[in-house]
Amino acid sequence: MADQVAYTANEISPSVPVWLNKGDNAWQMTASTLVGIQSMPGLVILYASIVKKKWAVNSAFMALYAFAAVLICWVLLCYRMAFGDELLPLWGKPAPALGQNYLIGRANVPERLATQPLYPMATLVYFQFTFAAITLILLAGSVLGRMDIRAWMAFVPLWLIFSYTVGAYSLWGGGFLYRWGAIDYSGGYVIHLSSGISGLTAAYWVGPRIKSDRERFPPNNVLLMLAGAGLLWMGWSGFNGGAPYAASIDSSLAVLNTNVSAATSILVWTCLDVVFFGKPSVIGAVQGMITGLACITPGAGLVQSWAAILMGMLAGSVPWVSMMIIHKKCSWLQKVDDALGVFHTHAVAGLIGGLLTGLLAEPNLCSLILPEDTRGAFYGGNGGVQFVKQIVAALFVIAWNVMSTTLILLVIRLCIPLRMPDNQLEIGDDAVHGEEAYALWGEGEQYDQRKHGWYASEVTSPSPYVNGSRGVTIDL
């Protein structure tokens, strides 16, 4: 009787239709928030603290701006370019996702998925926005400390429209790779491979940091950097746990595998640092965390947990080799100034994860989310074909991102310089934004002997630099 009353209430309540599953909707909105927190404030904090003090504000602002700009572009036209009706085999038709009838209706995803969402379209639109936003913010890590902020402001919407939506539609939204059966569970290719490849491409066209920044670029706050990294790690439970579009057993497995891979990768990266350099690096541990998370992402809910450990081991070692050994021996990579090594931590790790998924995807786990008989090469059957599909999908993502990023930056360069002028590069945040990250003694503070306390001081000197610091007067 109670069940009948509840069912009747669902039928007659406009805000709780019959198809709505409150548990799925609650989890999906929670997962969306967790992914959003990875960017705001996670990567904002991480970027602001991992760079030199003079670039803290600029780096944080690049992430903040991207988060806001992507959201507006997403609801105006980009969501339906990535998940809407087909325009081309690799692109959806641009259209707004703002109408109330569209947003309160049941969410719709391509039919190849075994499970259809039991919540409104508004939930899915926001969930997918957080993925698009973090992709642009990860890409920004390659060009920190020298890209002209006006060029970045133009680049974000253009790259979202002409690069991200193509990868998302092709692999997730019903495009040709999706229909062909290529697997990208939660963004190893769409997010990590694309951001790493595009980041490296952008770094080439923007140009390097000034010599002093390239030679010495220490983090200005290691503990705050760890706080940002922690938000990134914990938010990844929503990143991969929300991929099945339901609060399902596959979601639970994906969350466990995500954390197992990250922990394994940290340990392997740290051990390699100790063996080869004699001491563990905190920055290295953060890099190992990121590679472990990126590597498991394309197969988080499709591989067994022992496979997650194996993927974590390779995520902590292969990108370490590419960053610490191959990068230093490759003259071309030396010339391209990838500020935070996004190519190694995301492109290399995401590629490894996508290929390993083609080997290790377990058939029974695949059946939880994919209706067709899908399996990795290690499980026989058509697994060898699946591995080939993973290779082809990776090659497409790499080629498209190199081409689209290059064309976008060349067009922007016609109107706006891609790189800041050298006088701004020497000064940093104060020259670019008129703001600095920290107000320390001798930098905007004055000691008044009469009051025996600190107070803010107006600039009274005609010179912009007094006592070695801009706009400072010291009266002791």
Side-chain angles (χ1 to χ4, degrees):
M1 184 65 179
D3 291 341
Q4 182 62 39
V5 171
Y7 182 76
T8 303
N10 282 348
E11 276 191 320
I12 64 175
S13 173
S15 63
V16 188
V18 175
W19 48 260
L20 179 67
N21 183 299
K22 293 182 179 179
D24 282 354
N25 195 35
W27 165 241
Q28 207 66 33
M29 288 192 290
T30 300
S32 302
T33 303
L34 287 170
V35 181
I37 286 173
Q38 289 184 288
S39 298
M40 283 290 301
L43 284 169
V44 171
I45 294 173
L46 179 63
Y47 283 2
S49 52
I50 202 172
V51 298
K52 266 186 173 180
K53 183 178 85 68
K54 73 173 185 176
W55 291 117
V57 172
N58 183 257
S59 300
F61 180 77
M62 288 178 70
L64 172 64
Y65 167 80
F67 194 81
V70 168
L71 177 54
I72 300 305
C73 295
W74 194 247
V75 296
L76 287 177
L77 75 161
C78 289
Y79 172 76
R80 295 176 78 167
M81 292 179 72
F83 294 94
D85 298 328
E86 181 176 303
L87 175 66
L88 298 170
L90 47 73
W91 227 351
K93 294 179 181 178
L98 290 169
Q100 68 180 47
N101 291 335
Y102 179 80
L103 293 174
I104 66 175
R106 183 175 172 182
N108 181 40
V109 295
E111 294 180 357
R112 184 169 172 261
L113 286 180
T115 303
Q116 294 296 304
L118 300 175
Y119 44 75
M121 184 64 79
T123 300
L124 186 58
V125 170
Y126 186 74
F127 177 71
Q128 289 296 345
F129 146 70
T130 59
F131 281 76
I134 199 172
T135 308
L136 263 299
I137 296 172
L138 292 174
L139 191 162
S142 293
V143 292
L144 295 181
R146 82 278 201 178
M147 187 171 186
D148 190 292
I149 194 64
R150 298 166 301 167
W152 174 248
M153 293 172 73
F155 177 79
V156 168
L158 291 173
W159 193 86
L160 178 69
I161 293 169
F162 294 104
S163 188
Y164 181 82
T165 56
V166 170
Y169 185 80
S170 298
L171 278 158
W172 287 346
F176 75 105
L177 291 173
Y178 181 93
R179 293 193 298 268
W180 191 40
I183 300 173
D184 188 6
Y185 180 84
S186 192
Y189 286 174
V190 176
I191 296 172
H192 299 292
L193 182 58
S194 65
S195 63
I197 293 297
S198 291
L200 188 70
T201 305
Y204 171 80
W205 288 109
V206 172
R209 291 165 289 175
I210 58 175
K211 184 178 179 182
S212 59
D213 281 356
R214 289 200 73 179
E215 291 176 347
R216 180 164 172 75
F217 205 67
N220 67 83
N221 193 322
V222 172
L223 296 182
L224 199 60
M225 177 192 72
L226 286 175
L231 290 170
L232 194 64
W233 185 352
M234 292 301 100
W236 224 286
S237 292
F239 199 102
N240 290 344
Y245 298 137
S248 61
I249 58 175
D250 197 49
S251 178
S252 299
L253 179 66
V255 170
L256 177 61
N257 284 346
T258 297
N259 287 271
V260 165
S261 176
T264 304
S265 184
I266 287 175
L267 297 178
V268 171
W269 193 292
T270 300
C271 289
L272 289 171
D273 277 349
V274 171
V275 170
F276 286 91
F277 303 123
K279 61 183 71 173
S281 165
V282 176
I283 297 177
V286 171
Q287 290 169 330
M289 176 202 81
I290 292 171
T291 56
L293 293 166
C295 183
I296 192 63
T297 292
L302 307 176
V303 302
Q304 298 183 65
S305 291
W306 65 261
I309 292 178
L310 176 60
M311 293 173 80
M313 293 173 65
L314 292 173
S317 55
V318 177
W320 186 95
V321 171
S322 73
M323 179 180 287
M324 301 299 179
I325 298 176
I326 297 176
H327 184 95
K328 295 177 180 179
K329 293 184 177 181
C330 177
S331 59
W332 186 83
L333 287 174
Q334 285 282 299
K335 292 177 183 178
V336 180
D337 183 16
D338 181 359
L340 298 187
V342 177
F343 171 75
H344 303 285
T345 56
H346 292 278
V348 174
L351 177 61
I352 294 169
L355 297 179
L356 288 174
T357 299
L359 297 174
L360 301 172
E362 202 277 331
N364 293 325
L365 295 177
C366 290
S367 68
L368 297 176
I369 189 171
L370 302 173
E372 292 114 0
D373 179 21
T374 305
R375 63 185 63 222
F378 285 176
Y379 294 92
N382 64 349
V385 175
Q386 186 63 51
F387 184 67
V388 173
K389 292 177 181 179
Q390 299 302 108
I391 295 174
V392 173
L395 292 175
F396 170 77
V397 170
I398 292 169
W400 184 268
N401 279 277
V402 170
M403 179 187 69
S404 61
T405 303
T406 296
L407 291 176
I408 290 167
L409 288 170
L410 291 179
V411 169
I412 293 174
R413 193 170 70 175
L414 296 175
C415 306
I416 306 169
L418 298 179
R419 188 172 180 266
M420 298 178 200
D422 286 346
N423 63 328
Q424 288 187 349
L425 294 175
E426 290 288 347
I427 298 170
D429 289 337
D430 199 16
V432 180
H433 300 279
E435 299 165 325
E436 293 182 330
Y438 304 106
L440 304 175
W441 178 79
E443 297 185 5
E445 299 284 347
Q446 184 178 32
Y447 184 73
D448 188 344
Q449 288 180 314
R450 294 165 296 176
K451 296 180 180 179
H452 300 287
W454 292 100
Y455 69 96
S457 167
E458 294 286 342
V459 178
T460 58
S461 170
S463 170
Y465 293 89
V466 183
N467 297 319
S469 180
R470 186 180 188 277
V472 177
T473 58
I474 301 177
D475 181 17
L476 293 178

